[in-house]
Amino acid sequence: MQIYFSIATFLLGLIVGSFLNCVIYRMEEGKSFLKGRSFCPYCKHELSWRDLIPIFSFLLLRRKCRYCKKPISWQYPLVELGTGILFVLGLLFVFNSGIWDFICYLLVSSFFVLIFVFDLKHYIIPDRLVWPAILIAFLYQWNLYQWNFLEMKNLALGVLPAFFILAIIIVSRGKWMGLGDFSLTILMGLFLGFPKILVALFFAFFLGAIIGISLMIFKGKTLKSEIPFGPFLITATFISFFWGQQIINGYLRFLFNP
Ligand SMILES: [Zn+2]
């Protein structure tokens, strides 16, 4: 039974991923993403259903538009696949705590995918992606805490590290990170709570340092080159969301049982 649920959830993730690609494209073009049909970004030819099957169309068409033969961006299959994998992880890790939690997780992770791609491509974290996700993450946590306001101190603690990011932004005058990273860290804090937010920030800086240094060595980037931090924050968020508690336990064992 589990396997059928996993396949269905993965397929749902592929379809949502395909929709997210469409949202990204229409945000880039400044269009409404609720109306209109899909078309090739180069030749503007309207796409039929057989051009729009997640992953499969990309593979069958061998990365080329059926009509103008221009290459299709890797973004399309990768976003679909990534969303599919995040949805299945949600099924395995979140579904047990209730359908409401699962739905909130699917919604927030979809927003994380959008922010990831948008920041990677345009070095911008749009507020209109972060704030709806903050609202959903807040409702998610509020439900976890059984709608008990007094139990929510972990949530307040979770948001606190965002002000550390704000301090870095102020000290660096926005050169290392932008205000978008601040709102993204608030979202992470609400989604992860305390202490998982600390694990996430640790991994984000760790991954950022490793990839930043590799880019400098292999791609000739300099310290002044702009590298978006959002993708690191979001990757680290999911690592911490799923495995944060094990990482904390392992670290504490390491500290206290030498
Ligand atoms: Zn085309």
Side-chain angles (χ1 to χ4, degrees):
M1 205 58 199
Q2 176 92 4
I3 188 77
Y4 293 112
F5 266 127
S6 303
I7 292 170
T9 308
F10 183 66
L11 292 178
L12 176 70
L14 292 185
I15 294 165
V16 171
S18 167
F19 171 71
L20 297 179
N21 275 319
C22 179
V23 172
I24 292 162
Y25 177 72
R26 298 199 177 183
M27 279 185 75
E28 288 167 340
E29 298 287 309
K31 290 198 180 91
S32 153
F33 44 78
L34 292 174
K35 51 176 186 260
R37 307 205 44 163
S38 299
F39 49 83
C40 166
Y42 301 106
C43 64
K44 311 286 178 197
H45 194 293
E46 209 171 84
L47 301 177
S48 75
W49 64 270
R50 47 186 195 147
D51 305 321
L52 292 169
I53 308 164
I55 311 272
F56 292 99
S57 294
F58 182 85
L59 295 175
L60 288 175
L61 293 170
R62 300 214 187 116
R63 257 203 98 198
K64 288 190 195 90
C65 168
R66 189 192 298 277
Y67 310 99
C68 67
K69 307 292 174 205
K70 288 252 171 59
I72 304 169
S73 163
W74 279 102
Q75 177 199 317
Y76 291 90
L78 288 179
V79 165
E80 288 158 0
L81 197 61
T83 312
I85 292 170
L86 287 178
F87 275 29
V88 172
L89 285 171
L91 179 75
L92 300 177
F93 284 83
V94 185
F95 191 74
N96 281 341
S97 52
I99 189 74
W100 166 256
D101 294 339
F102 185 53
I103 292 170
C104 283
Y105 166 85
L106 296 185
L107 288 170
V108 175
S109 53
S110 300
F111 276 102
F112 273 127
V113 169
L114 290 175
I115 297 166
F116 185 104
V117 177
F118 218 85
D119 197 25
L120 189 65
K121 283 175 82 179
H122 305 290
Y123 302 159
I124 287 174
I125 298 177
D127 277 342
R128 60 188 169 137
L129 292 181
V130 181
W131 290 101
I134 284 180
L135 182 69
I136 300 163
F138 183 76
L139 292 174
Y140 167 67
Q141 288 286 358
W142 207 1
N143 187 54
L144 278 188
Y145 289 104
Q146 305 294 315
W147 304 86
N148 184 338
F149 207 76
L150 288 175
E151 285 294 313
M152 290 180 75
K153 47 194 180 300
N154 276 354
L155 215 48
L157 279 174
V159 173
L160 219 51
F163 292 91
F164 166 67
I165 300 292
L166 185 62
I168 295 179
I169 295 165
I170 292 169
V171 169
S172 75
R173 291 186 187 161
K175 276 199 195 102
W176 297 340
M177 283 178 228
L179 274 179
D181 295 307
F182 170 60
S183 19
L184 178 56
T185 323
I186 291 183
L187 168 59
M188 289 164 62
L190 286 174
F191 181 60
L192 295 169
F194 189 86
K196 281 186 177 179
I197 178 70
L198 297 182
V199 178
L201 288 178
F202 170 79
F203 270 97
F205 282 106
F206 183 70
L207 290 172
I210 289 180
I211 297 200
I213 290 168
S214 331
L215 286 176
M216 274 190 258
I217 295 172
F218 298 110
K219 290 246 167 142
K221 296 230 176 197
T222 65
L223 266 181
K224 282 192 179 134
S225 308
E226 219 177 340
I227 297 170
F229 197 50
F232 298 114
L233 287 171
I234 291 168
T235 307
T237 297
F238 284 104
I239 293 175
S240 178
F241 184 77
F242 295 120
W243 299 284
Q245 202 53 55
Q246 276 111 304
I247 293 168
I248 292 166
N249 294 347
Y251 181 68
L252 291 179
R253 259 199 307 276
F254 172 77
L255 275 191
F256 295 111
N257 300 313

